[in-house]
Amino acid sequence: MENKYPQTFEVIELCLLAGKIMLQCGAETYRVEDTMTRIAAALGIPNSHSYVTPTGIVFSTDDTNPAKLIRISERTTDLYKVTLVNGVSRKVSSGEMTREQAFLKLKEIENANYTFPIYQQILAASIASACFMVMFQGEWNNFIPALITGGVGFTSFIFLHRVVQIKFFSEFIASFIIGILSILFIKAGMGTQLDKIIIGSVMPLVPGLLITNAVRDLMAGHLVSGLSKGAEAFLTAFAIGAGIAVVFSFLS
């Protein structure tokens, strides 16, 4: 009888790679589990089991292969990679792509860098900060202060996070810098609405995707993932609020 287990092991490796990329790039927990299950079913393993949390993936089959666990330590937001992995999953499910082709494509996706250059991210954060200030009914004479404050705050967050791998600390210091710059602009007569400048400037730091994924995971029944992502979003919001509160306590 033909030994099917080496092939099963390769399918497990393929599913784990797909799940790893998606989870690292900000996909919802239920989407990761669904993608892994679909790939396994398309490649001859209809009864697979996966357990996904924001920090790890456990995947197993009904045969004698042991369950495999991979740890997720780095998480970011790259929805383009999530879309690419979903595309690979659809092609595997429809028979347009073999297991070997899918594995090579996923390796290519994993190693690729689709993120925008740092200067473009900072420019986008600056413009978004100013536009959010206007959206929150701020006056146009606060546009430039919000643009500069948001850009400097986001820049400090990026570079601090590279130096200190503690996201809470980076977000706290970034919001602290935003608060200081906002007050300085007001005292220099270059702005008139302190609250609107601060609100617009901190918006690039707000964990919008994380909150959305937390709610969607909770609605899909993934309570552990939903609560953990919600807690992470709460810590980010607390860091932003604490940074601004410290500024108001000492400088306002």
Side-chain angles (χ1 to χ4, degrees):
M1 184 176 65
E2 182 184 358
N3 188 358
K4 68 176 181 177
Y5 297 129
Q7 179 179 351
T8 301
F9 178 79
E10 292 172 358
V11 173
I12 293 175
E13 290 292 318
L14 175 65
C15 294
L16 284 172
L17 179 58
K20 175 186 175 183
I21 296 172
M22 295 183 70
L23 198 58
Q24 285 180 332
C25 294
E28 307 95 317
T29 298
Y30 74 89
R31 186 186 300 275
V32 175
E33 291 186 351
D34 181 67
T35 299
M36 295 170 66
T37 302
R38 288 177 183 273
I39 292 175
L43 295 176
I45 306 178
N47 299 315
S48 61
H49 309 279
S50 60
Y51 180 73
V52 178
T53 69
T55 56
I57 301 175
V58 179
F59 189 81
S60 69
T61 62
D62 281 341
D63 53 37
T64 58
N65 282 284
K68 291 205 64 176
L69 165 69
I70 59 173
R71 173 120 178 130
I72 307 296
S73 55
E74 292 290 334
R75 294 186 301 277
T76 184
T77 301
D78 192 342
L79 299 183
Y80 183 61
K81 281 192 176 183
V82 175
T83 302
L84 292 177
V85 174
N86 278 332
V88 172
S89 172
R90 294 188 187 95
K91 289 183 179 180
V92 171
S93 299
S94 62
E96 300 177 34
M97 186 176 287
T98 65
R99 184 187 71 245
E100 294 82 4
Q101 292 173 332
F103 189 82
L104 291 175
K105 182 62 177 178
L106 289 178
K107 275 294 182 183
E108 178 185 333
I109 295 171
E110 182 184 29
N111 296 326
N113 182 14
Y114 298 110
T115 58
F116 291 100
I118 296 297
Y119 76 91
Q120 290 187 11
Q121 296 182 38
I122 295 172
L123 179 62
S126 301
I127 296 174
S129 298
C131 292
F132 272 118
M133 184 278 302
V134 174
M135 189 183 74
F136 288 117
Q137 299 181 348
E139 298 176 358
W140 281 98
N141 58 346
N142 298 301
F143 189 89
I144 298 300
L147 185 143
I148 296 174
T149 303
V152 173
F154 189 75
T155 303
S156 62
F157 167 72
I158 291 177
F159 287 101
L160 282 170
H161 191 56
R162 289 183 175 181
V163 176
V164 182
Q165 295 295 320
I166 301 176
K167 193 177 179 184
F168 179 90
F169 177 78
S170 304
E171 292 162 343
F172 175 83
I173 297 299
S175 62
F176 181 82
I177 292 173
I178 287 173
I180 290 177
L181 287 177
S182 300
I183 291 178
L184 290 177
F185 274 118
I186 294 296
K187 291 187 175 181
M190 298 178 63
T192 57
Q193 296 174 299
L194 179 62
D195 57 336
K196 300 298 190 298
I197 296 174
I198 291 177
I199 292 172
S201 300
V202 301
M203 287 305 292
L205 303 178
V206 173
L209 179 65
L210 198 60
I211 295 172
T212 302
N213 285 351
V215 173
R216 294 187 70 175
D217 280 340
L218 286 172
M219 293 178 66
H222 295 270
L223 302 181
V224 174
S225 296
L227 290 175
S228 60
K229 289 179 180 178
E232 186 178 354
F234 172 79
L235 283 175
T236 297
F238 178 75
I240 296 171
I244 299 298
V246 169
V247 173
F248 272 93
S249 300
F250 290 99
L251 297 180
S252 61

